[in-house]
Amino acid sequence: MAHVSVLSQSPVLACMCSGPFQESLNQLISLPDDDAANFGLLLEFLYQDNLPDLIVSGSNAYIETLADIYILADKYQLQTLKEAVISQLRSWDGLYDTPMDFFTMAHRIYHDISHSVSDKSLHDYFLEQARLKLPLLTSYGVGYLEELLDRGGRFATDVFKVQHDLMIDVKTFRDQLEKKLTQSCHDGEIAAERYRLLSERLANAEEQHALSLKNMQGQLTKTQKDLGATRDKSNKLCTKHIVTNYVSINHRTALVILAALNGSVSTENTSEMDTTKYSRMEEVAIPSVETPSCVKFLVDSDQMGSRFASKVFTITVGDSNSTFSAHANILSKSPVLARMCQAPFQESLTGHIDLPDESAEDFGFLLEYLYIENLAVPLFDTEEDEVAFANKLADIYIIADKYQVISLKFRIVKEFISITPFSDNPSAFFQMAHRMYHDTSGSKSDGPFRDYFEYRAALLMRYMNDDVLEVLDGLLEDGGKFAVDIAKAMRRELDYEVCERLKDQHTLAETESTLIAVTSTMEAVKEDLVAADEREKVAARTGKDVKVQLRYEHDKYNKSKIQHGHHHPSCTFCTFSDS
């Protein structure tokens, strides 16, 4: 039992109670599709304007109850109740035992509601939680999420938005690391230049010190020679004087010892710092596709004649009724056409095959491949021709899949790998791929193409803008394997960005270590410069002492000459006379 004024808070229930409906006349509303307990909670909210706290220790049963209440609130257009459910979901941290519980609940709600403007709070809550849950998925969880994405709808679109935002965050962090790495490399180059200048200064100082020491040693040697010559000359003069005066003298020999201090300077060799430049380029191996032996049509030399000796079929293709003629043995390379050429089908009896749904041009390429086993699509010269070439390959791939010519499918994948179409137009690539996914059977022989698509999509996702995202959102609405492979490509790109970020961090750490080593080397160079200055000062003092001693000896010689007229203090006569 409920009051009409209370039920009128819901526009749906208000119509039942007041309009010309049977419920209004009988005053009885029958809701066989709704759960009694959940509808009771809805009534309790209508009376009390408050939702009981249903979350107890994050139990999955209570989470499912909240999902059911939200779906009921959407069904009966109760915006306040929807906001109350979202508020309870936000009020609990660690609400979900696993990320899969969250995506299961979200997919259930997304599937059963109308997605009106009033669901904005739900979408915001889903985007916030999905951003936290996606990186925590295990390999099993990723497979489960791919099953949900295969069903398409708004759920697949929002999951893709979250993955795209995560990729943008990783790219932003990577750009910041690149800027920091560039600055570190620049600082390293400046430090290396300073190290080089200090090394040159040290080398010049060592060279000047060695030259100065050599000059002082030469001057000291010359002075010693002059002193020896002066001593010999003085002794000769004294001896001549003694002989001339017939004087007997006692010999007292005065020995003058001149000591020269010699210093040696050891020089240390310095080596230039090796600098290494780092690259984030990474070659991504393109999957190689080889034709299995079961689809290679190898013809022995003795069978070449029999291939063209078989029955000739006339084939009418397209609305224009273009006519082709082909041998049965050639058509038998396609399992589908081979069945048409065999009894008891009408085509086998009449020798005529009618294919009104096919394009004459595409079937011509298929037939030419069956004959010469070569793909003769015209080459391209411009970017527009390249896109047209890729779309034509897609058309041929679809018809090859339809008639199960597996070797031609593999050959087309190789052609896709050898070119790089849609580099500036990712939207056209995704539209072409979506058409191929939609118009093919999705058998195991499509595995190489799906691998190529996942690789190529991951590369193009680095250059997507808002227009491309809008196109991709529309394509994801259909779900299917296209949505699953888009999710795989997005995860592959995220893994690549994470690896690049780790490499950048490692490179940055190595650069910082190099800067520390350069700083230590600069400190050692400064210490060497200080030591070189000290050695230069010691050498200067040594030269000054030598000059002082030479001047002292010269003064003694002049003094002796003044006293004796020509004698030197070192001669025996002067010594005897002084005594």
Side-chain angles (χ1 to χ4, degrees), residues 100 137-149 484 488:
M100 291 188 297
L137 284 174
T138 62
S139 58
Y140 175 79
V142 171
Y144 179 77
L145 181 59
E146 290 176 357
E147 293 179 3
L148 299 180
L149 292 174
V484 173
K488 289 182 179 179

Side-chain angles (χ1 to χ4, degrees), residues 135-363:
L136 304 179
L137 284 174
T138 62
S139 58
Y140 175 79
V142 171
Y144 179 77
L145 181 59
E146 290 176 357
E147 293 179 3
L148 299 180
L149 292 174
D150 195 10
R151 303 170 188 175
R154 183 66 180 270
F155 177 83
T157 301
D158 284 356
V159 170
F160 174 76
K161 288 181 180 178
V162 173
Q163 289 180 322
H164 183 261
D165 292 340
L166 288 175
M167 187 176 68
I168 291 177
D169 291 344
V170 172
K171 286 184 177 179
T172 302
F173 183 75
R174 180 181 173 185
D175 292 340
Q176 294 175 354
L177 279 181
E178 287 179 352
K179 291 181 181 178
K180 190 174 181 181
L181 178 60
T182 302
Q183 183 63 34
S184 298
C185 292
H186 180 65
D187 295 341
E189 291 175 356
I190 294 176
E193 181 65 18
R194 292 180 60 189
Y195 174 79
R196 185 184 64 80
L197 294 176
L198 287 174
S199 299
E200 291 179 356
R201 182 182 172 188
L202 177 61
N204 293 334
E206 293 287 350
E207 184 178 357
Q208 293 177 0
H209 174 68
L211 182 61
S212 176
L213 182 61
K214 183 178 180 180
N215 292 336
M216 285 188 291
Q217 288 177 347
Q219 186 177 2
L220 180 60
T221 302
K222 182 179 179 182
T223 303
Q224 289 175 345
K225 289 181 179 180
D226 292 342
L227 284 175
T230 302
R231 187 182 296 110
D232 293 339
K233 185 177 179 181
S234 178
N235 287 335
K236 288 180 181 179
L237 290 175
C238 289
T239 301
K240 183 178 180 180
H241 182 74
I242 291 172
V243 173
T244 303
N245 293 278
Y246 301 101
V247 179
S248 176
I249 58 176
N250 294 323
H251 297 280
R252 293 195 314 169
T253 304
L255 302 178
V256 180
I257 303 176
L258 299 178
L261 300 176
N262 297 325
S264 60
V265 180
S266 61
T267 61
E268 296 180 356
N269 295 326
T270 59
S271 60
E272 296 183 355
M273 182 187 69
D274 295 333
T275 60
T276 304
K277 294 182 178 179
Y278 299 93
S279 174
R280 299 180 295 99
M281 299 289 292
E282 176 184 354
E283 292 187 3
V284 182
I286 299 177
S288 61
V289 183
E290 294 188 0
T291 306
S293 58
C294 62
V295 295
K296 288 182 178 178
F297 301 104
L298 302 178
V299 181
D300 297 334
S301 59
D302 58 347
Q303 297 176 345
M304 290 296 292
S306 62
R307 296 177 63 190
F308 303 103
S310 60
K311 182 179 178 179
V312 176
F313 279 77
T314 302
I315 307 171
T316 303
V317 182
D319 296 335
S320 59
N321 294 326
S322 300
T323 304
F324 297 88
S325 297
H327 296 82
N329 284 353
I330 297 298
L331 296 176
S332 296
K333 294 180 180 180
S334 164
V336 178
L337 295 175
R339 291 292 295 169
M340 293 182 181
C341 296
Q342 298 173 3
F345 294 102
Q346 183 179 359
E347 290 84 356
S348 174
L349 301 176
T350 61
H352 177 76
I353 300 176
D354 187 17
L355 303 175
D357 298 329
E358 308 300 342
S359 166
E361 183 183 10
D362 298 341
F363 188 80

Side-chain angles (χ1 to χ4, degrees), residues 122-132 158 161-162:
L122 173 67
H123 292 161
D124 293 341
Y125 172 75
F126 173 77
L127 293 176
E128 293 173 5
Q129 292 297 319
R131 188 182 182 90
L132 300 175
D158 284 356
K161 288 181 180 178
V162 173

Side-chain angles (χ1 to χ4, degrees), residues 371-385:
Y371 267 97
I372 65 176
E373 297 185 0
N374 187 26
L375 191 61
V377 181
L379 298 178
F380 53 87
D381 297 324
T382 63
E383 183 177 351
E384 291 76 9
D385 293 340

